[in-house]
Amino acid sequence: MADTIYIISGFLIVLLSGGLSYLYFMAHRKQNKKFKLFFRPEYHRKYLIAAIVITLLAAVTFAYSMFYMQQGFLKALVNAEMMLWLAIVSLIDYREKIIPNSMILAGIAAWVIFFAVEVIFAKTPVKQLLAYSLGAALLCGGVLFVVALVVKTALGMGDVKMVAVISLFYGLMNTYSIVLVSMVIMFIVSIILLILKKADRKTAIPMAPFVLAGFFVNIFFGV
């Protein structure tokens, strides 16, 4: 009975998050409009389809993590929500070549909620969680911040903050694995684009979609 409640609750949370993703897409689209227009309800088919696809991807991630990989409810839910978050970030980064600070703040807020849940219900020591999360975020974010300063065209500050958010949830080693796989995929795709003359060395390639791919690969193997 308890397992059934967890399963239903997980899918409902994912569904709610998917609905919020559609609202976010619409708010992001109207962010420069007048105040009255911002709150006017609108239907946008493209964003609705994107939200549905993202929600299904997150639901599959939840089911795969919980049933196939035999991970706990909270871990499976974190995987699903991170998949959804990265999918939104990737879509915006691909279209606009930017990662909005609003998505970074949303990721941090989600971590605070999961942090509180794990401390209260899983009885995990606060110091242990802080060392696992904040230590990884400071180290990963710090290293990438230096890289972004040195190689300005290869890495943006949005990418640095995105990886820092991931490390809050997954710690140092898992984040390293996600970034490493994403870099390998990005390198292969970049070489292919250069060979096909679809890009040159000055072409700005968004990083978030490749991080999403790297995260997907790691989830498949049970991160």
Side-chain angles (χ1 to χ4, degrees):
M1 182 64 181
D3 290 341
T4 303
I5 293 175
Y6 281 135
I7 293 168
I8 294 174
S9 299
F11 282 116
L12 287 177
I13 292 172
V14 169
L15 183 62
L16 175 62
S17 300
L20 291 175
S21 70
Y22 175 72
L23 295 178
Y24 177 81
F25 284 138
M26 294 304 297
H28 184 71
R29 175 175 176 266
K30 298 189 291 183
Q31 63 182 344
N32 294 322
K33 291 188 176 182
K34 294 181 179 179
F35 188 77
K36 290 183 179 180
L37 293 177
F38 184 85
F39 288 98
R40 180 182 297 174
E42 291 184 12
Y43 164 75
H44 200 288
R45 181 181 177 185
K46 179 175 65 175
Y47 291 130
L48 180 60
I49 292 174
I52 291 173
V53 171
I54 289 172
T55 304
L56 289 174
L57 183 62
V60 170
T61 301
F62 176 76
Y64 179 82
S65 298
M66 193 163 186
F67 300 124
Y68 186 79
M69 299 304 299
Q70 297 295 306
Q71 295 176 333
F73 167 75
L74 192 59
K75 178 66 174 177
L77 188 58
V78 167
N79 288 344
E81 292 296 298
M82 181 55 67
M83 182 69 77
L84 189 145
W85 182 79
L86 276 174
I88 297 173
V89 170
S90 298
L91 183 60
I92 296 175
D93 192 26
Y94 176 77
R95 290 175 58 87
E96 303 177 18
K97 304 296 186 297
I98 190 174
I99 298 177
N101 285 327
S102 55
M103 286 305 301
I104 300 300
L105 293 175
I108 295 174
W111 172 75
V112 171
I113 293 172
F114 279 110
F115 180 90
V117 169
E118 189 157 351
V119 169
I120 295 171
F121 295 101
K123 305 299 182 182
T124 306
V126 174
K127 290 183 179 180
Q128 179 182 328
L129 278 178
L130 288 176
Y132 178 83
S133 298
L134 293 182
L138 290 172
L139 184 57
C140 292
V143 170
L144 291 181
F145 178 76
V146 173
V147 173
L149 291 178
V150 175
V151 191
K152 296 181 180 180
T153 58
L155 195 66
M157 288 302 160
D159 300 322
V160 174
K161 289 180 280 189
M162 173 185 63
V163 173
V165 170
I166 294 173
S167 61
L168 285 174
F169 288 90
Y170 290 96
L172 182 59
M173 295 309 298
N174 287 330
T175 303
Y176 172 77
S177 178
I178 292 169
V179 173
L180 179 62
V181 174
S182 65
M183 290 295 99
V184 171
I185 297 173
M186 188 173 182
F187 175 76
I188 294 172
V189 172
S190 298
I191 293 298
I192 293 173
L193 291 176
L194 286 172
I195 293 174
L196 296 177
K197 296 184 178 180
K198 298 293 183 179
D200 54 39
R201 294 182 179 180
K202 295 182 179 181
T203 302
I205 299 177
M207 182 181 176
F210 296 101
V211 173
L212 175 63
F215 180 75
F216 181 84
V217 171
N218 277 268
I219 287 295
F220 182 80
F221 290 104
V223 69

mmCIF file of all heavy atoms in Angstrom, residues 170-219:
data_model
loop_
_atom_site.group_PDB
_atom_site.id
_atom_site.type_symbol
_atom_site.label_atom_id
_atom_site.label_comp_id
_atom_site.label_asym_id
_atom_site.label_seq_id
_atom_site.Cartn_x
_atom_site.Cartn_y
_atom_site.Cartn_z
ATOM 1 N N TYR A 170 23.784 15.852 -6.994
ATOM 2 C CA TYR A 170 24.465 14.601 -7.308
ATOM 3 C C TYR A 170 25.886 14.489 -6.756
ATOM 4 O O TYR A 170 26.533 13.462 -6.961
ATOM 5 C CB TYR A 170 24.468 14.383 -8.819
ATOM 6 C CG TYR A 170 23.093 14.064 -9.339
ATOM 7 C CD1 TYR A 170 22.281 15.064 -9.870
ATOM 8 C CD2 TYR A 170 22.585 12.777 -9.258
ATOM 9 C CE1 TYR A 170 21.005 14.784 -10.312
ATOM 10 C CE2 TYR A 170 21.311 12.482 -9.706
ATOM 11 C CZ TYR A 170 20.514 13.486 -10.226
ATOM 12 O OH TYR A 170 19.249 13.209 -10.663
ATOM 13 N N GLY A 171 26.378 15.510 -6.100
ATOM 14 C CA GLY A 171 27.703 15.400 -5.520
ATOM 15 C C GLY A 171 28.814 15.499 -6.542
ATOM 16 O O GLY A 171 28.571 15.680 -7.741
ATOM 17 N N LEU A 172 30.028 15.361 -6.080
ATOM 18 C CA LEU A 172 31.205 15.606 -6.916
ATOM 19 C C LEU A 172 31.413 14.546 -7.997
ATOM 20 O O LEU A 172 31.526 14.863 -9.174
ATOM 21 C CB LEU A 172 32.449 15.701 -6.031
ATOM 22 C CG LEU A 172 33.770 16.004 -6.741
ATOM 23 C CD1 LEU A 172 33.696 17.333 -7.479
ATOM 24 C CD2 LEU A 172 34.915 16.011 -5.734
ATOM 25 N N MET A 173 31.458 13.290 -7.612
ATOM 26 C CA MET A 173 31.817 12.235 -8.556
ATOM 27 C C MET A 173 30.754 12.031 -9.634
ATOM 28 O O MET A 173 31.073 11.860 -10.817
ATOM 29 C CB MET A 173 32.075 10.920 -7.814
ATOM 30 C CG MET A 173 33.271 10.968 -6.878
ATOM 31 S SD MET A 173 34.773 11.603 -7.691
ATOM 32 C CE MET A 173 35.024 10.359 -8.969
ATOM 33 N N ASN A 174 29.490 12.041 -9.239
ATOM 34 C CA ASN A 174 28.417 11.880 -10.225
ATOM 35 C C ASN A 174 28.364 13.056 -11.198
ATOM 36 O O ASN A 174 28.137 12.879 -12.403
ATOM 37 C CB ASN A 174 27.069 11.731 -9.527
ATOM 38 C CG ASN A 174 26.902 10.384 -8.861
ATOM 39 O OD1 ASN A 174 27.454 9.387 -9.324
ATOM 40 N ND2 ASN A 174 26.152 10.341 -7.773
ATOM 41 N N THR A 175 28.568 14.268 -10.671
ATOM 42 C CA THR A 175 28.590 15.447 -11.537
ATOM 43 C C THR A 175 29.764 15.381 -12.503
ATOM 44 O O THR A 175 29.632 15.719 -13.687
ATOM 45 C CB THR A 175 28.675 16.740 -10.701
ATOM 46 O OG1 THR A 175 27.580 16.786 -9.789
ATOM 47 C CG2 THR A 175 28.639 17.966 -11.600
ATOM 48 N N TYR A 176 30.912 14.940 -12.002
ATOM 49 C CA TYR A 176 32.081 14.763 -12.863
ATOM 50 C C TYR A 176 31.768 13.792 -14.006
ATOM 51 O O TYR A 176 32.116 14.041 -15.163
ATOM 52 C CB TYR A 176 33.258 14.246 -12.046
ATOM 53 C CG TYR A 176 34.461 13.841 -12.876
ATOM 54 C CD1 TYR A 176 35.317 14.798 -13.414
ATOM 55 C CD2 TYR A 176 34.722 12.490 -13.138
ATOM 56 C CE1 TYR A 176 36.410 14.426 -14.194
ATOM 57 C CE2 TYR A 176 35.808 12.117 -13.914
ATOM 58 C CZ TYR A 176 36.648 13.082 -14.439
ATOM 59 O OH TYR A 176 37.725 12.707 -15.208
ATOM 60 N N SER A 177 31.091 12.700 -13.680
ATOM 61 C CA SER A 177 30.729 11.714 -14.695
ATOM 62 C C SER A 177 29.772 12.303 -15.730
ATOM 63 O O SER A 177 29.933 12.088 -16.939
ATOM 64 C CB SER A 177 30.089 10.494 -14.026
ATOM 65 O OG SER A 177 29.684 9.540 -14.990
ATOM 66 N N ILE A 178 28.780 13.063 -15.253
ATOM 67 C CA ILE A 178 27.809 13.685 -16.164
ATOM 68 C C ILE A 178 28.495 14.669 -17.105
ATOM 69 O O ILE A 178 28.270 14.657 -18.319
ATOM 70 C CB ILE A 178 26.701 14.398 -15.351
ATOM 71 C CG1 ILE A 178 25.848 13.377 -14.606
ATOM 72 C CG2 ILE A 178 25.823 15.261 -16.272
ATOM 73 C CD1 ILE A 178 24.915 13.984 -13.576
ATOM 74 N N VAL A 179 29.346 15.531 -16.548
ATOM 75 C CA VAL A 179 30.049 16.535 -17.354
ATOM 76 C C VAL A 179 31.009 15.868 -18.333
ATOM 77 O O VAL A 179 31.112 16.275 -19.499
ATOM 78 C CB VAL A 179 30.795 17.538 -16.454
ATOM 79 C CG1 VAL A 179 31.657 18.479 -17.289
ATOM 80 C CG2 VAL A 179 29.806 18.344 -15.621
ATOM 81 N N LEU A 180 31.712 14.832 -17.879
ATOM 82 C CA LEU A 180 32.667 14.141 -18.744
ATOM 83 C C LEU A 180 31.966 13.524 -19.951
ATOM 84 O O LEU A 180 32.407 13.704 -21.097
ATOM 85 C CB LEU A 180 33.392 13.049 -17.953
ATOM 86 C CG LEU A 180 34.415 12.212 -18.745
ATOM 87 C CD1 LEU A 180 35.539 13.097 -19.266
ATOM 88 C CD2 LEU A 180 34.974 11.085 -17.873
ATOM 89 N N VAL A 181 30.876 12.817 -19.711
ATOM 90 C CA VAL A 181 30.130 12.202 -20.814
ATOM 91 C C VAL A 181 29.585 13.271 -21.757
ATOM 92 O O VAL A 181 29.630 13.129 -22.983
ATOM 93 C CB VAL A 181 28.985 11.323 -20.274
ATOM 94 C CG1 VAL A 181 28.114 10.808 -21.421
ATOM 95 C CG2 VAL A 181 29.541 10.155 -19.480
ATOM 96 N N SER A 182 29.075 14.367 -21.203
ATOM 97 C CA SER A 182 28.522 15.442 -22.033
ATOM 98 C C SER A 182 29.602 16.088 -22.889
ATOM 99 O O SER A 182 29.359 16.447 -24.050
ATOM 100 C CB SER A 182 27.839 16.488 -21.156
ATOM 101 O OG SER A 182 28.770 17.154 -20.319
ATOM 102 N N MET A 183 30.818 16.242 -22.338
ATOM 103 C CA MET A 183 31.926 16.812 -23.089
ATOM 104 C C MET A 183 32.353 15.903 -24.247
ATOM 105 O O MET A 183 32.671 16.375 -25.338
ATOM 106 C CB MET A 183 33.118 17.073 -22.160
ATOM 107 C CG MET A 183 32.940 18.198 -21.165
ATOM 108 S SD MET A 183 32.763 19.838 -21.950
ATOM 109 C CE MET A 183 30.985 20.028 -21.890
ATOM 110 N N VAL A 184 32.343 14.597 -23.994
ATOM 111 C CA VAL A 184 32.687 13.639 -25.058
ATOM 112 C C VAL A 184 31.665 13.713 -26.184
ATOM 113 O O VAL A 184 32.023 13.763 -27.375
ATOM 114 C CB VAL A 184 32.757 12.203 -24.489
ATOM 115 C CG1 VAL A 184 32.889 11.186 -25.618
ATOM 116 C CG2 VAL A 184 33.923 12.069 -23.524
ATOM 117 N N ILE A 185 30.388 13.741 -25.822
ATOM 118 C CA ILE A 185 29.327 13.840 -26.833
ATOM 119 C C ILE A 185 29.432 15.158 -27.589
ATOM 120 O O ILE A 185 29.308 15.199 -28.817
ATOM 121 C CB ILE A 185 27.939 13.714 -26.172
ATOM 122 C CG1 ILE A 185 27.782 12.337 -25.523
ATOM 123 C CG2 ILE A 185 26.837 13.943 -27.204
ATOM 124 C CD1 ILE A 185 26.514 12.190 -24.704
ATOM 125 N N MET A 186 29.683 16.241 -26.865
ATOM 126 C CA MET A 186 29.810 17.561 -27.483
ATOM 127 C C MET A 186 30.996 17.599 -28.446
ATOM 128 O O MET A 186 30.907 18.187 -29.541
ATOM 129 C CB MET A 186 29.975 18.628 -26.399
ATOM 130 C CG MET A 186 29.926 20.054 -26.894
ATOM 131 S SD MET A 186 29.940 21.222 -25.495
ATOM 132 C CE MET A 186 29.811 22.787 -26.372
ATOM 133 N N PHE A 187 32.101 16.969 -28.060
ATOM 134 C CA PHE A 187 33.292 16.920 -28.915
ATOM 135 C C PHE A 187 33.001 16.162 -30.212
ATOM 136 O O PHE A 187 33.351 16.618 -31.305
ATOM 137 C CB PHE A 187 34.444 16.251 -28.164
ATOM 138 C CG PHE A 187 35.679 16.054 -28.991
ATOM 139 C CD1 PHE A 187 36.525 17.115 -29.271
ATOM 140 C CD2 PHE A 187 35.992 14.798 -29.508
ATOM 141 C CE1 PHE A 187 37.663 16.939 -30.057
ATOM 142 C CE2 PHE A 187 37.124 14.613 -30.281
ATOM 143 C CZ PHE A 187 37.970 15.679 -30.555
ATOM 144 N N ILE A 188 32.337 15.023 -30.100
ATOM 145 C CA ILE A 188 32.019 14.215 -31.281
ATOM 146 C C ILE A 188 31.092 14.968 -32.224
ATOM 147 O O ILE A 188 31.313 15.018 -33.437
ATOM 148 C CB ILE A 188 31.369 12.879 -30.853
ATOM 149 C CG1 ILE A 188 32.380 12.018 -30.090
ATOM 150 C CG2 ILE A 188 30.841 12.114 -32.073
ATOM 151 C CD1 ILE A 188 31.783 10.778 -29.471
ATOM 152 N N VAL A 189 30.050 15.579 -31.656
ATOM 153 C CA VAL A 189 29.098 16.339 -32.482
ATOM 154 C C VAL A 189 29.783 17.530 -33.141
ATOM 155 O O VAL A 189 29.538 17.834 -34.317
ATOM 156 C CB VAL A 189 27.902 16.810 -31.633
ATOM 157 C CG1 VAL A 189 27.008 17.760 -32.433
ATOM 158 C CG2 VAL A 189 27.087 15.610 -31.157
ATOM 159 N N SER A 190 30.658 18.213 -32.410
ATOM 160 C CA SER A 190 31.378 19.368 -32.956
ATOM 161 C C SER A 190 32.260 18.961 -34.130
ATOM 162 O O SER A 190 32.314 19.665 -35.155
ATOM 163 C CB SER A 190 32.234 20.024 -31.871
ATOM 164 O OG SER A 190 31.436 20.503 -30.817
ATOM 165 N N ILE A 191 32.947 17.831 -34.005
ATOM 166 C CA ILE A 191 33.786 17.333 -35.101
ATOM 167 C C ILE A 191 32.944 17.031 -36.328
ATOM 168 O O ILE A 191 33.311 17.375 -37.468
ATOM 169 C CB ILE A 191 34.556 16.075 -34.659
ATOM 170 C CG1 ILE A 191 35.589 16.419 -33.574
ATOM 171 C CG2 ILE A 191 35.243 15.414 -35.856
ATOM 172 C CD1 ILE A 191 36.654 17.385 -34.020
ATOM 173 N N ILE A 192 31.785 16.400 -36.106
ATOM 174 C CA ILE A 192 30.889 16.074 -37.226
ATOM 175 C C ILE A 192 30.405 17.348 -37.914
ATOM 176 O O ILE A 192 30.381 17.434 -39.154
ATOM 177 C CB ILE A 192 29.694 15.236 -36.724
ATOM 178 C CG1 ILE A 192 30.172 13.860 -36.249
ATOM 179 C CG2 ILE A 192 28.644 15.079 -37.833
ATOM 180 C CD1 ILE A 192 29.096 13.032 -35.595
ATOM 181 N N LEU A 193 30.029 18.366 -37.120
ATOM 182 C CA LEU A 193 29.562 19.629 -37.693
ATOM 183 C C LEU A 193 30.671 20.333 -38.476
ATOM 184 O O LEU A 193 30.404 20.935 -39.538
ATOM 185 C CB LEU A 193 29.054 20.542 -36.582
ATOM 186 C CG LEU A 193 27.759 20.116 -35.879
ATOM 187 C CD1 LEU A 193 27.432 21.057 -34.734
ATOM 188 C CD2 LEU A 193 26.596 20.074 -36.873
ATOM 189 N N LEU A 194 31.896 20.247 -37.980
ATOM 190 C CA LEU A 194 33.027 20.844 -38.697
ATOM 191 C C LEU A 194 33.276 20.120 -40.021
ATOM 192 O O LEU A 194 33.532 20.771 -41.050
ATOM 193 C CB LEU A 194 34.278 20.793 -37.824
ATOM 194 C CG LEU A 194 34.339 21.777 -36.652
ATOM 195 C CD1 LEU A 194 35.546 21.473 -35.771
ATOM 196 C CD2 LEU A 194 34.399 23.219 -37.156
ATOM 197 N N ILE A 195 33.202 18.804 -39.997
ATOM 198 C CA ILE A 195 33.418 18.023 -41.223
ATOM 199 C C ILE A 195 32.344 18.328 -42.257
ATOM 200 O O ILE A 195 32.621 18.467 -43.459
ATOM 201 C CB ILE A 195 33.449 16.519 -40.896
ATOM 202 C CG1 ILE A 195 34.683 16.179 -40.055
ATOM 203 C CG2 ILE A 195 33.431 15.678 -42.179
ATOM 204 C CD1 ILE A 195 34.713 14.757 -39.560
ATOM 205 N N LEU A 196 31.101 18.446 -41.782
ATOM 206 C CA LEU A 196 29.983 18.738 -42.685
ATOM 207 C C LEU A 196 29.877 20.218 -43.034
ATOM 208 O O LEU A 196 28.989 20.616 -43.790
ATOM 209 C CB LEU A 196 28.669 18.277 -42.045
ATOM 210 C CG LEU A 196 28.529 16.766 -41.791
ATOM 211 C CD1 LEU A 196 27.216 16.468 -41.089
ATOM 212 C CD2 LEU A 196 28.612 15.990 -43.114
ATOM 213 N N LYS A 197 30.772 21.024 -42.452
ATOM 214 C CA LYS A 197 30.807 22.481 -42.666
ATOM 215 C C LYS A 197 29.508 23.164 -42.229
ATOM 216 O O LYS A 197 29.067 24.142 -42.833
ATOM 217 C CB LYS A 197 31.108 22.788 -44.137
ATOM 218 C CG LYS A 197 32.496 22.309 -44.568
ATOM 219 C CD LYS A 197 32.807 22.699 -46.003
ATOM 220 C CE LYS A 197 34.217 22.239 -46.394
ATOM 221 N NZ LYS A 197 34.553 22.600 -47.788
ATOM 222 N N LYS A 198 28.898 22.602 -41.194
ATOM 223 C CA LYS A 198 27.702 23.208 -40.614
ATOM 224 C C LYS A 198 28.078 24.190 -39.499
ATOM 225 O O LYS A 198 27.223 24.905 -38.973
ATOM 226 C CB LYS A 198 26.786 22.125 -40.045
ATOM 227 C CG LYS A 198 26.262 21.126 -41.071
ATOM 228 C CD LYS A 198 25.310 21.795 -42.050
ATOM 229 C CE LYS A 198 24.733 20.778 -43.020
ATOM 230 N NZ LYS A 198 23.774 21.409 -43.974
ATOM 231 N N ALA A 199 29.357 24.198 -39.147
ATOM 232 C CA ALA A 199 29.863 25.107 -38.111
ATOM 233 C C ALA A 199 31.346 25.310 -38.328
ATOM 234 O O ALA A 199 31.998 24.564 -39.070
ATOM 235 C CB ALA A 199 29.592 24.532 -36.727
ATOM 236 N N ASP A 200 31.879 26.363 -37.702
ATOM 237 C CA ASP A 200 33.320 26.588 -37.734
ATOM 238 C C ASP A 200 33.814 26.758 -36.302
ATOM 239 O O ASP A 200 33.048 26.598 -35.351
ATOM 240 C CB ASP A 200 33.682 27.808 -38.588
ATOM 241 C CG ASP A 200 32.941 29.066 -38.146
ATOM 242 O OD1 ASP A 200 32.787 29.255 -36.921
ATOM 243 O OD2 ASP A 200 32.530 29.850 -39.015
ATOM 244 N N ARG A 201 35.094 27.086 -36.136
ATOM 245 C CA ARG A 201 35.667 27.157 -34.795
ATOM 246 C C ARG A 201 35.107 28.304 -33.963
ATOM 247 O O ARG A 201 35.254 28.322 -32.743
ATOM 248 C CB ARG A 201 37.187 27.282 -34.905
ATOM 249 C CG ARG A 201 37.855 26.035 -35.501
ATOM 250 C CD ARG A 201 39.351 26.188 -35.536
ATOM 251 N NE ARG A 201 40.001 24.994 -36.087
ATOM 252 C CZ ARG A 201 41.320 24.852 -36.227
ATOM 253 N NH1 ARG A 201 42.125 25.852 -35.858
ATOM 254 N NH2 ARG A 201 41.827 23.741 -36.723
ATOM 255 N N LYS A 202 34.483 29.272 -34.629
ATOM 256 C CA LYS A 202 33.930 30.427 -33.922
ATOM 257 C C LYS A 202 32.445 30.243 -33.595
ATOM 258 O O LYS A 202 31.847 31.093 -32.922
ATOM 259 C CB LYS A 202 34.126 31.694 -34.744
ATOM 260 C CG LYS A 202 35.591 32.079 -34.938
ATOM 261 C CD LYS A 202 35.709 33.367 -35.724
ATOM 262 C CE LYS A 202 37.177 33.772 -35.909
ATOM 263 N NZ LYS A 202 37.307 35.050 -36.658
ATOM 264 N N THR A 203 31.852 29.162 -34.074
ATOM 265 C CA THR A 203 30.432 28.923 -33.847
ATOM 266 C C THR A 203 30.161 28.617 -32.370
ATOM 267 O O THR A 203 30.817 27.759 -31.786
ATOM 268 C CB THR A 203 29.922 27.746 -34.704
ATOM 269 O OG1 THR A 203 30.164 28.024 -36.086
ATOM 270 C CG2 THR A 203 28.435 27.528 -34.487
ATOM 271 N N ALA A 204 29.205 29.339 -31.805
ATOM 272 C CA ALA A 204 28.828 29.118 -30.402
ATOM 273 C C ALA A 204 27.874 27.924 -30.320
ATOM 274 O O ALA A 204 26.801 27.940 -30.911
ATOM 275 C CB ALA A 204 28.169 30.366 -29.835
ATOM 276 N N ILE A 205 28.289 26.906 -29.607
ATOM 277 C CA ILE A 205 27.475 25.703 -29.456
ATOM 278 C C ILE A 205 26.923 25.652 -28.042
ATOM 279 O O ILE A 205 27.695 25.669 -27.074
ATOM 280 C CB ILE A 205 28.300 24.436 -29.744
ATOM 281 C CG1 ILE A 205 28.812 24.474 -31.190
ATOM 282 C CG2 ILE A 205 27.469 23.175 -29.503
ATOM 283 C CD1 ILE A 205 29.693 23.291 -31.552
ATOM 284 N N PRO A 206 25.596 25.613 -27.882
ATOM 285 C CA PRO A 206 25.027 25.582 -26.527
ATOM 286 C C PRO A 206 25.402 24.298 -25.789
ATOM 287 O O PRO A 206 25.338 23.201 -26.349
ATOM 288 C CB PRO A 206 23.512 25.650 -26.791
ATOM 289 C CG PRO A 206 23.345 25.143 -28.195
ATOM 290 C CD PRO A 206 24.573 25.572 -28.927
ATOM 291 N N MET A 207 25.764 24.432 -24.531
ATOM 292 C CA MET A 207 26.249 23.291 -23.763
ATOM 293 C C MET A 207 25.131 22.477 -23.118
ATOM 294 O O MET A 207 25.235 21.255 -22.973
ATOM 295 C CB MET A 207 27.215 23.787 -22.675
ATOM 296 C CG MET A 207 27.820 22.684 -21.832
ATOM 297 S SD MET A 207 28.934 23.350 -20.565
ATOM 298 C CE MET A 207 29.379 21.859 -19.684
ATOM 299 N N ALA A 208 24.047 23.141 -22.730
ATOM 300 C CA ALA A 208 22.986 22.475 -21.968
ATOM 301 C C ALA A 208 22.423 21.219 -22.640
ATOM 302 O O ALA A 208 22.215 20.209 -21.952
ATOM 303 C CB ALA A 208 21.873 23.468 -21.658
ATOM 304 N N PRO A 209 22.159 21.225 -23.958
ATOM 305 C CA PRO A 209 21.641 19.998 -24.578
ATOM 306 C C PRO A 209 22.594 18.813 -24.431
ATOM 307 O O PRO A 209 22.133 17.664 -24.292
ATOM 308 C CB PRO A 209 21.475 20.397 -26.053
ATOM 309 C CG PRO A 209 21.276 21.877 -26.019
ATOM 310 C CD PRO A 209 22.156 22.352 -24.912
ATOM 311 N N PHE A 210 23.881 19.071 -24.448
ATOM 312 C CA PHE A 210 24.852 17.985 -24.298
ATOM 313 C C PHE A 210 24.929 17.510 -22.846
ATOM 314 O O PHE A 210 25.159 16.323 -22.586
ATOM 315 C CB PHE A 210 26.224 18.441 -24.791
ATOM 316 C CG PHE A 210 26.244 18.764 -26.254
ATOM 317 C CD1 PHE A 210 26.191 20.069 -26.699
ATOM 318 C CD2 PHE A 210 26.290 17.748 -27.200
ATOM 319 C CE1 PHE A 210 26.193 20.370 -28.050
ATOM 320 C CE2 PHE A 210 26.307 18.038 -28.554
ATOM 321 C CZ PHE A 210 26.252 19.349 -28.986
ATOM 322 N N VAL A 211 24.733 18.431 -21.909
ATOM 323 C CA VAL A 211 24.670 18.035 -20.499
ATOM 324 C C VAL A 211 23.432 17.168 -20.274
ATOM 325 O O VAL A 211 23.472 16.187 -19.526
ATOM 326 C CB VAL A 211 24.646 19.275 -19.581
ATOM 327 C CG1 VAL A 211 24.417 18.867 -18.131
ATOM 328 C CG2 VAL A 211 25.952 20.047 -19.706
ATOM 329 N N LEU A 212 22.330 17.520 -20.930
ATOM 330 C CA LEU A 212 21.122 16.691 -20.863
ATOM 331 C C LEU A 212 21.407 15.285 -21.387
ATOM 332 O O LEU A 212 20.998 14.292 -20.780
ATOM 333 C CB LEU A 212 19.993 17.338 -21.664
ATOM 334 C CG LEU A 212 18.699 16.527 -21.791
ATOM 335 C CD1 LEU A 212 18.068 16.300 -20.416
ATOM 336 C CD2 LEU A 212 17.710 17.232 -22.721
ATOM 337 N N ALA A 213 22.125 15.210 -22.515
ATOM 338 C CA ALA A 213 22.492 13.906 -23.075
ATOM 339 C C ALA A 213 23.403 13.137 -22.127
ATOM 340 O O ALA A 213 23.229 11.929 -21.919
ATOM 341 C CB ALA A 213 23.171 14.097 -24.434
ATOM 342 N N GLY A 214 24.374 13.831 -21.537
ATOM 343 C CA GLY A 214 25.274 13.197 -20.573
ATOM 344 C C GLY A 214 24.527 12.713 -19.341
ATOM 345 O O GLY A 214 24.819 11.630 -18.812
ATOM 346 N N PHE A 215 23.568 13.492 -18.898
ATOM 347 C CA PHE A 215 22.745 13.096 -17.753
ATOM 348 C C PHE A 215 21.919 11.865 -18.093
ATOM 349 O O PHE A 215 21.805 10.929 -17.293
ATOM 350 C CB PHE A 215 21.829 14.252 -17.353
ATOM 351 C CG PHE A 215 20.933 13.961 -16.184
ATOM 352 C CD1 PHE A 215 21.447 13.942 -14.895
ATOM 353 C CD2 PHE A 215 19.585 13.706 -16.366
ATOM 354 C CE1 PHE A 215 20.628 13.666 -13.813
ATOM 355 C CE2 PHE A 215 18.765 13.429 -15.294
ATOM 356 C CZ PHE A 215 19.283 13.408 -14.008
ATOM 357 N N PHE A 216 21.352 11.845 -19.304
ATOM 358 C CA PHE A 216 20.543 10.705 -19.754
ATOM 359 C C PHE A 216 21.373 9.420 -19.763
ATOM 360 O O PHE A 216 20.910 8.375 -19.303
ATOM 361 C CB PHE A 216 19.989 10.987 -21.157
ATOM 362 C CG PHE A 216 19.126 9.894 -21.703
ATOM 363 C CD1 PHE A 216 17.783 9.839 -21.380
ATOM 364 C CD2 PHE A 216 19.647 8.918 -22.537
ATOM 365 C CE1 PHE A 216 16.970 8.822 -21.866
ATOM 366 C CE2 PHE A 216 18.856 7.900 -23.039
ATOM 367 C CZ PHE A 216 17.506 7.854 -22.693
ATOM 368 N N VAL A 217 22.593 9.497 -20.267
ATOM 369 C CA VAL A 217 23.469 8.327 -20.299
ATOM 370 C C VAL A 217 23.783 7.841 -18.893
ATOM 371 O O VAL A 217 23.746 6.632 -18.606
ATOM 372 C CB VAL A 217 24.788 8.652 -21.055
ATOM 373 C CG1 VAL A 217 25.790 7.507 -20.909
ATOM 374 C CG2 VAL A 217 24.506 8.920 -22.530
ATOM 375 N N ASN A 218 24.055 8.776 -17.997
ATOM 376 C CA ASN A 218 24.355 8.400 -16.610
ATOM 377 C C ASN A 218 23.146 7.804 -15.901
ATOM 378 O O ASN A 218 23.288 6.864 -15.100
ATOM 379 C CB ASN A 218 24.888 9.606 -15.844
ATOM 380 C CG ASN A 218 26.374 9.842 -16.066
ATOM 381 O OD1 ASN A 218 27.210 9.350 -15.325
ATOM 382 N ND2 ASN A 218 26.687 10.587 -17.121
ATOM 383 N N ILE A 219 21.962 8.341 -16.186
ATOM 384 C CA ILE A 219 20.740 7.788 -15.612
ATOM 385 C C ILE A 219 20.548 6.357 -16.091
ATOM 386 O O ILE A 219 20.127 5.466 -15.331
ATOM 387 C CB ILE A 219 19.507 8.655 -15.991
ATOM 388 C CG1 ILE A 219 19.529 9.962 -15.216
ATOM 389 C CG2 ILE A 219 18.203 7.898 -15.709
ATOM 390 C CD1 ILE A 219 19.370 9.822 -13.730
#
